[in-house]
Amino acid sequence: AQTVTQSQPEMSVQEAETVTLSCTYDTSESDYYLFWYKQPPSRQMILVIRQEAYKQQNATENRFSVNFQKAAKSFSLKISDSQLGDAAMYFCAYGAGGGADGLTFGKGTHLIIQP
Amino acid sequence: GAVVSQHPSWVICKSGTSVKIECRSLDFQATTMFWYRQFPKQSLMLMATSNEGSKATYEQGVEKDKFLINHASLTLSTLTVTSAHPEDSSFYICSARRDRGLGGYTFGSGTRLTVV
């Protein structure tokens, strides 16, 4: 079974600074996707960034980028120029490439932005 | 595009009654929808996978007779919590796949269920 591990229950960063959230996963599949989702207090799940396992290039979305290390099964999220609106729970998630299965989520990291 | 509507957003019910939660894909067809459960300050746990026109597939430990799932059309899946008890109180979230193999998952806004 696939597992996703987020080892940082909580992280704190100063506004405008950069923070990196860690995620590791375990799978025997070769075709899969990795995701970072943001869950603000409203509890709506918001997709931050997505990475296809077959792509070597790290995904980037504006201030958000990932460091995908496939051999090490590591998928960290870097948030640059942190903003107050970035404060939320961040979940790392794994999805099998076939698409028939739901996502496996890590336990989440609570990100605090200090003004 | 790719909007998933979940209704109701919150519901309070008495023990022993049943509650139905609806999940609709508004602007795309979803042959597969997923139901998750999230306890306070915890992660999302997949409960079941709902396929249009066929029986749902439940994760290990999820009681299929308590959590009835129906996916009668390409845009609607429902989760019915039968004979609800206080321990069923939780946050339930649905998700729909837009495109097979492209990693396109869209989430509903969730339903907070409180059983009293």
Side-chain angles (χ1 to χ4, degrees):
Chain A
Q2 295 82 12
T3 59
V4 177
T5 302
Q6 293 178 251
S7 58
Q8 306 154 317
E10 186 173 280
M11 291 284 284
S12 181
V13 64
Q14 290 286 133
E15 192 176 4
E17 296 294 311
T18 295
V19 64
T20 298
L21 308 185
S22 301
C23 173
T24 59
Y25 60 96
D26 189 25
T27 183
S28 58
E29 302 281 342
S30 59
D31 182 20
Y32 55 89
Y33 292 87
L34 296 164
F35 306 82
W36 278 98
Y37 281 92
K38 171 184 177 181
Q39 187 179 45
S42 68
R43 304 189 81 170
Q44 172 71 56
M45 297 294 285
I46 301 167
L47 177 64
V48 175
I49 200 164
R50 166 178 96 191
Q51 174 81 43
E52 292 90 335
Y54 66 86
K55 290 187 177 180
Q56 293 186 338
Q57 186 173 5
N58 289 325
T60 300
E61 288 288 341
N62 301 313
R63 298 183 294 108
F64 300 87
S65 62
V66 298
N67 184 1
F68 174 46
Q69 301 290 327
K70 190 172 184 178
K73 294 187 172 65
S74 171
F75 183 62
S76 61
L77 173 69
K78 185 173 80 172
I79 305 174
S80 303
D81 185 25
S82 297
Q83 300 176 1
L84 294 178
D86 295 334
M89 283 294 293
Y90 285 81
F91 292 98
C92 178
Y94 166 98
D101 300 333
L103 298 180
T104 300
F105 285 87
K107 291 187 175 182
T109 297
H110 181 209
L111 179 63
I112 298 169
I113 310 295
Q114 300 200 0
Chain B
V3 178
V4 173
S5 174
Q6 187 171 341
H7 179 81
S9 57
W10 62 269
V11 59
I12 301 173
C13 71
K14 293 184 177 181
S15 288
T17 62
S18 296
V19 174
K20 180 184 287 187
I21 303 169
E22 292 188 349
C23 180
R24 293 181 184 273
S25 56
L26 298 185
D27 51 1
F28 66 98
Q29 294 184 332
T31 55
T32 304
M33 291 185 175
F34 306 94
W35 289 95
Y36 298 84
R37 184 174 182 175
Q38 186 180 30
F39 289 106
K41 300 187 184 299
Q42 294 190 25
S43 187
L44 282 73
M45 298 297 294
L46 180 65
M47 298 175 63
T49 300
S50 166
N51 294 297
E52 187 265 337
S54 64
K55 291 184 178 181
T57 303
Y58 291 83
E59 296 299 303
Q60 191 173 9
V62 177
E63 299 177 60
K64 62 180 181 181
D65 293 332
K66 165 167 278 296
F67 300 101
L68 300 180
I69 292 173
N70 184 281
H71 195 156
S73 77
L74 288 171
T75 59
L76 174 64
S77 177
T78 61
L79 168 68
T80 301
V81 183
T82 63
S83 186
H85 288 95
E87 56 266 30
D88 298 325
S89 298
S90 189
F91 192 67
Y92 294 87
I93 310 176
C94 71
S95 174
R97 280 193 58 86
R98 300 193 305 277
D99 303 289
R100 191 174 182 85
L102 296 179
Y105 297 86
T106 303
F107 284 82
S109 55
T111 298
R112 181 183 301 277
L113 170 64
T114 303
V115 184
V116 298

